[in-house]
């Protein structure tokens, strides 16, 4: 082959770049990715597996100072991010005119998210970010100038990048058996908390700051932001949920335009929890926020709020794991009744609808909540629901689980409930009397028997004539019951005799149709 043809062939091959060329391309390429590009890489949108992120203030065309720290951070999509990290100067070391610019640079520096699953990686870079976050918190807390729109945008961007994430582990299964001590489980601690808590602290101080203009901030703390914030309530880390609870309450107070949307979104979380998953880590915290919101409802209550009570709060009694949030739920329910006493009938009938049958510990909680509700119930509303209510209380009195029977008897220790019963004793005593007599005669627990005698004495002292009449009717019903039982036993004995007679001849036993008279 002629030498000229070889040269021509070689000239067509792609040339390998020199190391210096690589360096020039990496430093002075088209444009270094911004913090927004960093965010996209976390979502897996970038095709390349390595992204160079330069801290703000560094010129990609110049040599970097010696304290620049390169770091490699793994990405969720399996790639990695190369970080060129340097510690920025403190706010006290720059003139006041440059502090806002430095503030934005520090915010951009904190947009890099590190992997905390390996505690040995990037220790120096993590410490730089932690110290930078602390500087930002101090700056926001001490700021005496209004935050501009551009600054707000950068704050919300940094907060979003750090906080809004998909939880790697699903929510823990709630224990069905309430007898197990839930506090024995070791609490789940997010390994990234050294950074996360500073981001939350920054956000909280930003919301509380008098220099934050709500009209400007609502452009960035919008419905999408609120929804992502509510998603974080499913975090297993109780420290994170505590911060979220306070932050959500501040957002609800500061941005009036978002209030209906926040209530509706919480409503939707409850619906999904009640009717689909029964798994969520933050129901208690969301109810705690709602407790404060309900406390501030204006009177008369809007129809929207009453529907929320009926469709969301009362059905929250249905899940098996109700014990995880019952205290907060009970407070919300009681707040509604204190706002509008006419809702007591609705709430009590709702409790009866979801009353547990085989879960004794849950039944004890229902009885405790019932006492709080009755304590806030007026006589007119009590009369509307007292008959089905006391049929349920009578069943609880005869429960073989002594804590259920005991808790039902404790209702008579409440003066307000005693007065309600006294005013309607002629209706209620005939309902409750058989259960009291059965307890006094045959309940296995001595404490339940003793409490039952105290309640019986309350009725006999209040209306001796009615008590004697109920006792007489109970004794008559007992006699009738024994007669019916005796007839039933005779019938079964006769059937057994006929069956034994026919057994030898293999003849079928014909049983005549028996028409029973009503008892």
């Amino acid at each position: 082959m002629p030498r000229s043809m070889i040269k021509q062939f070689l000239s067509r091959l792609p040339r390998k770049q020199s190391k210096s060329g690589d360096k020039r391309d990496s430093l002075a390429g088209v444009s270094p990715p911004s913090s927004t590009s960093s965010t996209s890489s976390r979502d897996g949108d970038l095709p390349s597996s390595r992204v160079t992120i330069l801290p703000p203030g560094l010129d990609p065309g110049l040599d970097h100072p010696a304290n620049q720290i390169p770091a490699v951070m793994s990405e969720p999509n399996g790639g990695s991010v190369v970080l060129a990290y340097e510690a920025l100067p403190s706010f006290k070391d720059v003139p006041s005119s440059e502090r806002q610019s430095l503030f934005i640079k520090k915010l951009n520096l904190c947009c890099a998210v590190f992997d905390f699953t390996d505690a040995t990686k990037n220790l120096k870079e993590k410490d730089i970010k932690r110290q930078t976050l602390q500087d930002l918190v101090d700056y926001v807390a001490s700021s005496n100038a209004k935050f501009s729109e551009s600054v707000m945008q950068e704050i919300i961007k940094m907060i979003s990048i750090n906080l809004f994430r998909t939880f790697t582990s699903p929510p823990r299964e709630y224990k069905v058996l309430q007898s197990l001590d839930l506090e024995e489980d070791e609490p789940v601690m997010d390994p990234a908390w050294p950074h996360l808590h500073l981001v939350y602290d920054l956000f909280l101080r930003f919301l509380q700051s008098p220099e934050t203009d709500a009209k400007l901030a609502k452009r960035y703390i919008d419905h999408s932001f609120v929804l992502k914030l509510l998603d974080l309530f499913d975090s297993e880390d109780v420290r994170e949920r505590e911060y979220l609870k306070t932050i959500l309450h501040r957002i609800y107070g500061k941005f009036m335009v978002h209030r209906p949307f926040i209530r509706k979104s919480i409503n939707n979380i409850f619906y999904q929890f009640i009717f689909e998953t029964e798994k969520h880590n933050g129901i208690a915290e969301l109810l705690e926020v709602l407790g404060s919101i309900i406390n501030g409802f204006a009177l008369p209550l809007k129809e929207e709020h009453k529907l929320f009570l009926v469709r969301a709060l009362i059905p929250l009694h249905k899940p098996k794991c109700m014990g995880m949030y019952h205290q907060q739920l009970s407070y919300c329910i009681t707040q509604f009744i204190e706002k509008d006493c006419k809702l007591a009938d609705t709430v009590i009938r709702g409790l009866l609808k979801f009353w547990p049958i085989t879960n004794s510990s849950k039944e004890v909680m229902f009885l405790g909540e019932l006492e709080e509700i009755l304590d806030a119930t007026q006589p007119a509303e009590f009369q509307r629901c007292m008959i089905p209510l006391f049929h349920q209380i009578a069943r609880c009195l005869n429960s073989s689980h002594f804590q259920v029977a005991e808790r039902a008897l404790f209702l008579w220790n409440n003066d307000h409930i005693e007065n309600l019963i006294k005013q309607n004793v002629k209706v209620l005593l005939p309902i409750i009397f058989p259960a009291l007599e059965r307890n006094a005669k045959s309940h296995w627990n001595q404490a339940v028997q003793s409490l039952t005698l105290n309640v019986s004495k309350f009725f006999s002292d209040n209306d001796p004539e009615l008590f004697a009449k109920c006792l007489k009717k109970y004794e008559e019903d007992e006699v009738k019951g024994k007669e019916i039982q005796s007839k039933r036993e005779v019938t079964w004995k006769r059937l057994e005799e006929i069956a034994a007679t026919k057994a030898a001849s293999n003849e079928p036993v014909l049983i005549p149709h028996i028409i029973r008279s009503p008892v």
Side-chain angles (χ1 to χ4, degrees):
M1 182 183 294
R3 185 174 297 178
S4 59
M5 291 181 66
I6 294 174
K7 287 183 179 180
Q8 186 178 1
F9 174 75
L10 291 175
S11 65
R12 293 178 181 177
L13 293 175
R15 294 183 180 181
K16 183 179 178 181
Q17 291 181 341
S18 65
K19 291 184 180 179
S20 60
D22 289 342
K23 186 176 182 180
R24 282 196 304 272
D25 290 341
S26 65
L27 294 178
V30 178
S31 62
S34 65
S35 56
T36 306
S37 302
S38 161
T39 308
S40 301
S41 70
R42 296 173 68 238
D43 296 333
D45 294 336
L46 294 180
S48 62
S49 62
R50 297 177 70 86
V51 180
T52 303
I53 301 179
L54 301 178
L58 292 182
D59 188 343
L62 301 176
D63 291 334
H64 298 162
N67 63 349
Q68 175 184 326
I69 305 168
V72 178
M73 176 181 63
S74 61
E75 285 292 287
N77 61 4
S80 59
V81 175
V82 178
L83 300 174
Y85 232 69
E86 71 167 358
L88 293 170
S90 175
F91 285 106
K92 62 183 179 181
D93 296 333
V94 298
S96 57
S97 59
E98 298 179 12
R99 286 177 183 172
Q100 181 169 312
S101 174
L102 179 61
F103 180 67
I104 293 176
K105 290 178 182 179
K106 285 179 179 280
L107 286 170
N108 288 330
L109 185 70
C110 292
C111 286
V113 180
F114 291 96
D115 179 12
F116 278 83
T117 55
D118 187 347
T120 62
K121 286 184 179 179
N122 311 123
L123 295 179
K124 195 168 185 179
E125 295 88 338
K126 291 173 183 176
D127 190 60
I128 289 175
K129 180 179 176 181
R130 183 192 59 77
Q131 186 57 52
T132 306
L133 284 168
Q134 187 61 60
D135 290 345
L136 292 172
V137 171
D138 296 339
Y139 180 85
V140 171
S142 61
S143 178
N144 54 7
K146 291 287 183 184
F147 294 110
S148 66
E149 186 172 355
S150 60
V151 169
M152 287 185 183
Q153 185 176 7
E154 293 299 324
I155 291 174
I156 299 303
K157 182 182 73 174
M158 188 276 286
I159 290 169
S160 300
I161 289 172
N162 280 275
L163 298 185
F164 299 154
R165 63 207 190 277
T166 302
F167 296 118
T168 54
S169 59
R172 286 178 294 174
E173 293 281 348
Y174 284 130
K175 289 183 172 59
V176 176
L177 297 176
Q178 298 293 329
S179 59
L180 294 177
D181 187 1
L182 297 174
E183 294 181 359
E184 289 182 358
D185 289 340
E186 292 185 6
V188 176
M189 302 296 184
D190 195 315
W193 190 247
H195 287 183
L196 287 176
H197 88 91
L198 290 170
V199 178
Y200 276 116
D201 205 15
L202 171 68
F203 189 25
L204 185 57
R205 291 175 184 273
F206 171 71
L207 291 171
Q208 293 173 331
S209 174
E211 309 304 333
T212 301
D213 187 347
K215 291 182 180 179
L216 284 178
K218 74 179 181 182
R219 298 178 186 175
Y220 305 102
I221 302 177
D222 54 9
H223 287 182
S224 175
F225 184 92
V226 169
L227 279 177
K228 292 175 182 176
L229 196 72
L230 288 171
D231 286 341
L232 294 176
F233 273 88
D234 204 15
S235 169
E236 291 189 348
D237 195 324
V238 66
R239 301 168 299 178
E240 182 167 18
R241 299 200 303 271
E242 283 295 313
Y243 261 111
L244 287 164
K245 178 180 68 178
T246 307
I247 286 169
L248 181 63
H249 194 267
R250 293 290 183 273
I251 290 175
Y252 190 89
K254 198 175 189 73
F255 305 99
M256 293 184 65
V257 68
H258 291 337
R259 290 181 180 181
F261 179 77
I262 291 173
R263 293 196 300 269
K264 181 181 177 182
S265 300
I266 294 176
N267 216 353
N268 291 336
I269 291 173
F270 288 165
Y271 287 156
Q272 187 177 28
F273 170 71
I274 296 164
F275 302 110
E276 295 180 19
T277 64
E278 289 197 10
K279 296 174 187 175
H280 197 285
N281 292 306
I283 299 297
E285 286 78 11
L286 288 170
L287 284 170
E288 199 166 334
V289 174
L290 282 170
S292 299
I293 292 173
I294 295 166
N295 195 19
F297 282 165
L299 296 177
L301 288 174
K302 296 178 180 178
E303 193 63 27
E304 168 204 347
H305 302 328
K306 295 179 183 178
L307 287 174
F308 172 69
L309 169 68
V310 173
R311 295 178 179 177
L313 289 185
I314 293 177
L316 276 172
H317 291 85
K318 174 180 174 286
K320 297 173 184 177
C321 58
M322 187 194 72
M324 303 290 291
Y325 54 82
H326 179 251
Q327 183 180 353
Q328 292 85 355
L329 175 61
S330 180
Y331 177 78
C332 290
I333 296 283
T334 309
Q335 286 292 306
F336 265 105
I337 297 173
E338 289 178 356
K339 289 280 182 181
D340 186 353
C341 61
K342 293 180 181 179
L343 293 171
D345 174 51
T346 303
V347 169
I348 291 173
R349 289 182 184 274
L351 277 181
L352 295 176
K353 178 182 177 182
F354 294 105
W355 200 277
I357 297 174
T358 58
N359 191 333
S360 55
S361 59
K362 191 174 178 182
E363 201 165 4
V364 170
M365 287 188 280
F366 268 59
L367 287 164
E369 183 178 353
L370 179 62
E371 181 176 351
E372 293 183 17
I373 292 168
L374 289 175
D375 200 31
T377 302
Q378 298 304 312
E381 281 67 44
F382 178 74
Q383 288 173 358
R384 293 177 187 172
C385 60
M386 63 183 181
I387 292 177
L389 172 61
F390 269 75
H391 277 293
Q392 181 60 57
I393 290 175
R395 286 190 286 271
C396 292
L397 290 175
N398 288 149
S399 173
S400 58
H401 196 291
F402 80 97
Q403 288 181 330
V404 175
E406 195 175 55
R407 191 65 189 83
L409 289 162
F410 282 159
L411 293 173
W412 275 264
N413 292 342
N414 186 297
D415 293 338
H416 181 70
I417 296 175
E418 267 197 357
N419 289 330
L420 291 174
I421 295 171
K422 281 181 182 179
Q423 294 168 20
N424 302 277
V425 69
K426 295 188 183 301
V427 176
L428 299 180
L429 183 56
I431 297 172
I432 213 81
F433 190 87
L436 294 173
E437 282 297 304
R438 282 192 289 270
N439 266 10
K441 291 180 180 179
S442 59
H443 201 284
W444 66 271
N445 186 271
Q446 189 62 43
V448 171
Q449 286 189 2
S450 177
L451 288 168
T452 300
L453 291 174
N454 291 339
V455 173
S456 296
K457 187 175 185 301
F458 160 78
F459 282 114
S460 62
D461 292 346
N462 185 58
D463 194 335
E465 184 178 345
L466 178 63
F467 189 86
K469 190 183 295 184
C470 289
L471 179 59
K472 183 180 178 181
K473 186 177 184 306
Y474 173 76
E475 291 172 347
E476 291 174 353
D477 291 342
E478 284 290 295
V479 171
K480 289 181 181 178
K482 287 178 181 179
E483 290 176 357
I484 293 169
Q485 180 64 22
S486 177
K487 289 179 181 178
R488 186 179 292 117
E489 289 175 358
V490 169
T491 304
W492 276 110
K493 188 174 181 181
R494 180 167 168 265
L495 289 172
E496 288 172 358
E497 290 173 353
I498 295 172
T501 305
K502 300 289 186 181
S505 59
N506 291 327
E507 294 182 26
V509 180
L510 301 177
I511 302 174
H513 180 65
I514 300 174
I515 301 175
R516 294 181 179 178
S517 57
V519 179

